[in-house]
Amino acid sequence: MKNLILIAVLFFGVLNIQSQEKIYTLTEVDVAPEILKYPIIDSLTSKQNFKKNLKRFIAMNLNLMEYFETNKEKTRVFVEFVVQRNGKIKVLRTKGKSKKAKSLAANVIKKIKKMKPAKVMDNNVDMKFIIPITFGGVILIDTTQKNR
């Protein structure tokens, strides 16, 4: 009787492990996710396009002034997120010293709302990615002089 119970537990344990879907990394996918509304550059691979457009999105949507109102030091935050097979973004965790910077970095990734998901062998898959975001010096652009 004990052997029968042990075999049943092992069988259902194996089924449970196999039913959990794998989360891929950028190096493991065939086609990287695409940020909607951002153009694809034909000369770059899908993975290069993903990185470039993600950095562009962060640069355009991150409010550095909100961080520098209360903090003056330079800091770096790592945001780990998953682009799910349905295209939604799920932030898993953030690492960094500043709570304010971690909050801003997570919020800018959440602003992406939806992406075209990654693919492996023409099947949509979950893909995990970690991106560093640096809160450095503020760049001010002087637009008062028109003859430059």
Side-chain angles (χ1 to χ4, degrees), residues 84-124:
Q84 297 173 330
R85 71 187 62 215
N86 60 5
K88 293 184 179 179
I89 307 300
K90 180 180 179 185
V91 175
L92 299 177
R93 64 181 167 171
T94 56
K95 281 188 172 185
K97 293 180 182 176
S98 168
K99 288 182 182 180
K100 180 78 170 182
K102 290 193 301 187
S103 172
L104 288 171
N107 287 339
V108 77
I109 296 298
K110 289 176 186 175
K111 283 183 184 179
I112 297 175
K113 301 287 187 221
K114 197 162 186 177
M115 298 176 87
K116 192 173 176 183
K119 293 185 181 246
V120 173
M121 297 185 344
D122 290 332
N123 295 322
N124 292 349

Side-chain angles (χ1 to χ4, degrees), residues 7-51:
I7 291 171
V9 168
L10 287 174
F11 176 73
F12 288 115
V14 169
L15 281 180
N16 187 30
I17 291 171
Q18 290 177 349
S19 67
Q20 294 176 355
E21 295 293 327
K22 178 178 168 127
I23 297 177
Y24 294 85
T25 63
L26 185 61
T27 56
E28 296 173 320
V29 298
D30 298 332
V31 179
E34 291 178 23
I35 298 176
L36 304 175
K37 301 179 184 174
Y38 278 82
I40 300 300
I41 301 168
D42 291 334
S43 62
L44 299 178
T45 66
S46 68
K47 295 173 185 182
Q48 291 169 330
N49 270 309
F50 170 71
K51 289 180 187 178

Side-chain angles (χ1 to χ4, degrees), residues 37-100:
K37 301 179 184 174
Y38 278 82
I40 300 300
I41 301 168
D42 291 334
S43 62
L44 299 178
T45 66
S46 68
K47 295 173 185 182
Q48 291 169 330
N49 270 309
F50 170 71
K51 289 180 187 178
K52 184 177 183 81
N53 287 336
L54 182 61
K55 288 177 186 177
R56 183 186 304 168
F57 181 89
I58 291 169
M60 292 175 67
N61 291 285
L62 184 63
N63 187 357
L64 288 174
M65 295 308 289
E66 188 177 338
Y67 173 75
F68 284 109
E69 286 175 354
T70 56
N71 301 304
K72 302 297 180 208
E73 77 258 1
K74 182 178 180 178
T75 188
R76 178 177 279 181
V77 175
F78 294 89
V79 181
E80 182 178 3
F81 64 96
V82 173
V83 180
Q84 297 173 330
R85 71 187 62 215
N86 60 5
K88 293 184 179 179
I89 307 300
K90 180 180 179 185
V91 175
L92 299 177
R93 64 181 167 171
T94 56
K95 281 188 172 185
K97 293 180 182 176
S98 168
K99 288 182 182 180
K100 180 78 170 182

Side-chain angles (χ1 to χ4, degrees), residues 131-143:
I131 186 159
I133 300 175
T134 302
F135 292 78
V138 177
I139 299 172
L140 297 175
I141 300 171
D142 184 10
T143 58

